[in-house]
């Protein structure tokens, strides 16, 4: 039963790969120097999942993100490549607004089309950085969120409000939430932390340079 569930996930991931990889999404560069910082409501995360897929060279991150109370939730989903069924760093990836009137849209990863529309007001992207890929000497490592730990992973979510304004959250995921499960060919890395949580978000407003 476990294996069939795993195979279902593997199939899901495989069928979604083409859409994710071929969509030529352009993510604006993060704004390095904030001029104004404001507190805003927390981002709300639900259905968070992250794992290396057994019997596959893929891993995936999937969650729903509601950037502020009453906002349309977006589905944040990305697939990585792993030789060892481990999680890997995932670069900036657009999230896709969830069609709340279509019951099938919330459970099935869909091709990110609507979210790459630059006029959309729900432009949310995320990234996932493994601790081993963190550069503690980078200028951003000691930034307001601090991204300097070389264990676990960092999840970053950004809502690009307009060209100069973004709402941003960064949270460290401790290594003990990212253990390995299963044995032999079923061994894989799985996020075992809570699936629902909130992210402290801040609004940054500033010049592009
Ligand atoms: C949402 O899904 C419903 C039912 O599938 C569809 O009629 C509607 O056009 C969709 N809305 C958007 C914005 O995609
Ligand atoms: C997580 O949030 C979703 C949607 O808000 C809810 O349906 C679900 O019951 C929550 N799960 C837990 C474990 O709190
Ligand atoms: C916002 O998120 C932070 C970090 O997860 C949490 O400590 C805080 O309690 C949250 N605040 C609210 C109002 O939910």
């Amino acid at each position: 039963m476990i294996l069939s569930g795993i195979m279902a996930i593997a199939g899901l991931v495989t069928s979604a790969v083409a859409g994710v990889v071929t969509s030529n999404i352009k993510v604006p560069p993060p704004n390095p120097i904030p001029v104004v910082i404001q507190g805003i409501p927390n981002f709300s995360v639900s259905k968070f999942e992250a794992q290396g897929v057994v019997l596959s060279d893929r891993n995936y991150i999937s969650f729903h993100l509601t950037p502020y109370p009453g906002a349309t939730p977006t589905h944040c989903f990305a697939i990585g490549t792993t030789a060892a069924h481990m999680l890997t760093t995932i670069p900036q990836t657009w999230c896709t607004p969830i069609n709340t009137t279509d019951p099938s849209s919330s459970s099935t990863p869909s091709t990110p089309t609507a979210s790459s529309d630059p006029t959309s007001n729900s432009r949310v992207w995320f990234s996932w950085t493994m601790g081993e890929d963190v550069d503690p000497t980078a200028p951003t490592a000691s930034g307001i969120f601090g991204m300097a730990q070389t264990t676990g992973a960092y999840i970053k979510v950004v809502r690009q409000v307009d060209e100069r304004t973004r709402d941003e959250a960064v949270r460290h995921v401790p290594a003990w939430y990212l253990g390995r499960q299963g044995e032999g060919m079923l061994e894989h890395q799985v996020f075992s932390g809570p699936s629902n949580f909130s992210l402290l978000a801040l609004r940054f407003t500033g010049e592009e340079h």
Side-chain angles (χ1 to χ4, degrees), residues 66-197:
T66 306
Y68 53 90
T72 302
T74 58
H75 186 196
C76 301
F77 178 74
I79 290 169
T81 302
T82 168
H85 314 298
M86 302 289 281
L87 291 164
T88 55
T89 290
I90 300 280
Q92 295 170 312
T93 303
W94 285 113
C95 303
T96 309
I98 294 167
N99 184 342
T100 46
T101 61
D102 179 359
S104 66
S105 74
S106 59
S107 55
T108 312
S110 55
T111 310
T113 46
S115 57
S116 46
D117 172 4
T119 63
S120 164
N121 64 1
S122 57
R123 289 176 294 161
V124 175
W125 59 262
F126 81 103
S127 63
W128 172 269
T129 306
M130 298 304 294
E132 65 214 37
D133 294 329
V134 166
D135 177 5
T137 66
T140 51
S142 61
I144 188 153
F145 287 110
M147 206 167 136
Q149 295 189 59
T150 55
T151 59
Y154 284 94
I155 180 160
K156 177 173 182 172
V157 179
V158 174
R159 173 174 173 253
Q160 202 76 37
V161 180
D162 59 36
E163 277 177 23
R164 293 170 39 131
T165 309
R166 71 188 197 280
D167 297 344
E168 180 173 326
V170 177
R171 176 141 155 192
H172 186 247
V173 176
W176 60 83
Y177 282 160
L178 302 175
R180 297 184 74 109
Q181 293 180 7
E183 286 183 17
M185 70 178 197
L186 297 184
E187 188 178 0
H188 60 145
Q189 191 174 26
V190 180
F191 171 80
S192 59
S195 56
N196 291 356
F197 52 91

